[in-house]
Amino acid sequence: MVMFEEIIAKNKLKTNCVIVLYLFIFVFIGLLVDIVRINAPSLSYGFYVLITFQVLPVVTLVLLGVAACVIGYTIGNFQRILLSGNEYKEIINRGENRIESELSSILDELILEARLEFRPKLYLMEAPFMNAFASGWHRDNSLIALTTTLVRNLTRDEVKAVMAHELSHIRHGDIRLTLMVGVLSNIMLLVVNYGVFMFLGNNRDNGANVARNILLILQFILPLITIVLQMFLSRSREYMADSGAVYLMNGDSMPMIRALQKISDNYAKSDFSQVDNNPTRSALYIFGFKEMFSTHPSIENRIRILQRKSRR
């Protein structure tokens, strides 16, 4: 138990460091655009007068305000945003049929076994692929969504392992991180892309021109930086959620292993990239189906680690 809690604490420290880095990059981009706006004679002078508020950093403040508004909107509407594009149904209490009642019963078992004081909303999403995800800003408004194809093709223990995996994301507190990082990444890329073309003119002073050149470079390297950071965060959180699932399954890793194998086989047989038209939940899925720059660790690595746990 102590070791498990220590690993969670270490993982939270890593993810908090990445959030700080994101916010630093976020403010840095805003200041660069402000330096171009005020036509600063040098880069250092521009940073100094803006940071000390001798000149109001309008773009930076507006950018932070927009980010706060978008994050606020996302928090208030994340369920509709993430579930849009597919028919879905919330499973309340025991459900209206055998499958829904079984799913509700499994969630109740996990909550009892984990001694949790909250119960996430449970959704069944109509989709031709096998996947699941968890989201929310905090435990009290969290959700778990399972696709109908996943529920139909997994055994009860395997469904329970998948649900335990998603419940672990909520227990570990990384659902808030995923929402925040996703919003900040999109806004940063948008600002960099348009910031280069703001306040055009060849009569800019040296500092403004340097700032514009940095923004131009960031146009190309920032997407790679955000991908690397998202990969680091997501892969770390997936390994932790796999471990959390085994913990909630009383140390039995085989249901999780079988579930991952079946989900992977499902995607190997068909290309669902064109079917799933909601990109906002791709980083949240239990299985990432993108081959290049996937935010998820490979199924082989995840199974290898789970097999090591089963031998202990």
Side-chain angles (χ1 to χ4, degrees):
M1 171 70 75
V2 176
M3 183 179 180
F4 181 73
E5 296 298 333
E6 287 177 353
I7 293 173
I8 291 177
K10 188 176 180 179
N11 186 55
K12 285 184 177 180
L13 176 62
K14 289 181 181 179
T15 55
N16 287 336
C17 289
V18 174
I19 285 183
V20 172
L21 180 58
Y22 258 100
L23 291 174
F24 173 80
I25 297 173
F26 203 74
V27 172
F28 179 69
I29 291 170
L31 290 173
L32 286 174
V33 179
D34 268 315
I35 288 172
V36 177
R37 177 184 64 84
I38 67 175
N39 196 22
S42 70
L43 200 63
S44 58
Y45 172 81
F47 277 124
Y48 176 75
V49 297
L50 291 168
I51 292 173
T52 58
F53 279 80
Q54 294 181 34
V55 176
L56 192 66
V58 177
V59 175
T60 306
L61 294 176
V62 169
L63 185 58
L64 289 172
V66 169
C69 291
V70 173
I71 289 174
Y73 176 81
T74 303
I75 293 171
N77 299 274
F78 75 91
Q79 295 180 11
R80 181 177 59 82
I81 293 171
L82 293 173
L83 293 167
S84 65
N86 298 82
E87 293 184 11
Y88 60 90
K89 180 180 182 181
E90 182 181 357
I91 300 175
I92 303 174
N93 297 326
R94 286 294 173 179
E96 297 180 358
N97 54 50
R98 184 187 62 81
I99 294 177
E100 293 180 13
S101 296
E102 190 70 13
L103 292 175
S104 182
S105 176
I106 291 172
L107 181 57
D108 288 338
E109 288 176 15
L110 288 169
I111 291 172
L112 183 63
E113 291 165 4
R115 299 177 182 177
L116 301 180
E117 297 179 355
F118 66 95
R119 189 183 195 276
K121 291 183 179 180
L122 183 59
Y123 288 92
L124 191 59
M125 188 174 75
E126 186 66 42
F129 48 85
M130 297 172 63
N131 230 318
F133 66 88
S135 189
W137 187 247
H138 50 73
R139 293 180 172 187
D140 293 335
N141 73 350
S142 58
L143 69 84
I144 294 175
L146 310 173
T147 66
T148 51
T149 305
L150 179 137
V151 172
R152 286 196 297 264
N153 287 277
L154 297 186
T155 65
R156 189 183 193 279
D157 277 350
E158 292 161 1
V159 171
K160 185 175 182 179
V162 169
M163 208 177 292
H165 173 102
E166 301 304 339
L167 190 60
S168 295
H169 279 309
I170 301 171
R171 292 179 71 208
H172 300 166
D174 59 35
I175 51 174
R176 177 185 301 181
L177 172 74
T178 308
L179 275 178
M180 184 174 179
V181 168
V183 171
L184 292 179
S185 295
N186 289 327
I187 297 176
M188 279 195 305
L189 294 173
L190 186 65
V191 172
V192 167
N193 289 336
Y194 285 97
V196 175
F197 303 103
M198 292 177 68
F199 314 109
L200 293 174
N202 296 322
N203 59 340
R204 293 284 166 183
D205 284 343
N206 182 61
N209 284 327
V210 172
R212 180 177 289 162
N213 289 334
I214 294 174
L215 286 169
L216 184 61
I217 295 170
L218 285 174
Q219 263 192 310
F220 299 97
I221 68 171
L222 190 59
L224 294 177
I225 293 174
T226 56
I227 288 173
V228 170
L229 288 175
Q230 286 178 333
M231 286 169 62
F232 169 78
L233 286 177
S234 188
R235 293 185 179 196
S236 176
R237 63 192 284 276
E238 289 304 320
Y239 285 129
M240 281 302 303
D242 285 344
S243 297
V246 175
Y247 177 76
L248 291 177
M249 296 292 288
N250 298 315
D252 186 5
S253 62
M254 290 311 299
M256 190 75 243
I257 291 173
R258 292 195 302 269
L260 289 174
Q261 288 172 331
K262 288 182 179 180
I263 295 171
S264 178
D265 290 344
N266 175 244
Y267 277 90
K269 293 175 183 176
S270 302
D271 179 16
F272 297 112
S273 59
Q274 301 302 317
V275 178
D276 188 5
N277 55 7
N278 188 336
T280 60
R281 59 187 181 224
S282 59
L284 303 177
Y285 281 139
I286 190 173
F287 174 77
F289 53 86
K290 293 181 180 179
E291 293 296 330
M292 294 293 291
F293 303 111
S294 175
T295 55
H296 289 61
S298 69
I299 289 294
E300 291 77 15
N301 285 340
R302 292 170 68 178
I303 290 176
R304 190 178 302 117
I305 292 174
L306 287 168
Q307 287 173 334
R308 289 175 189 167
K309 295 181 183 295
S310 66
R311 297 191 192 106
R312 293 176 183 174

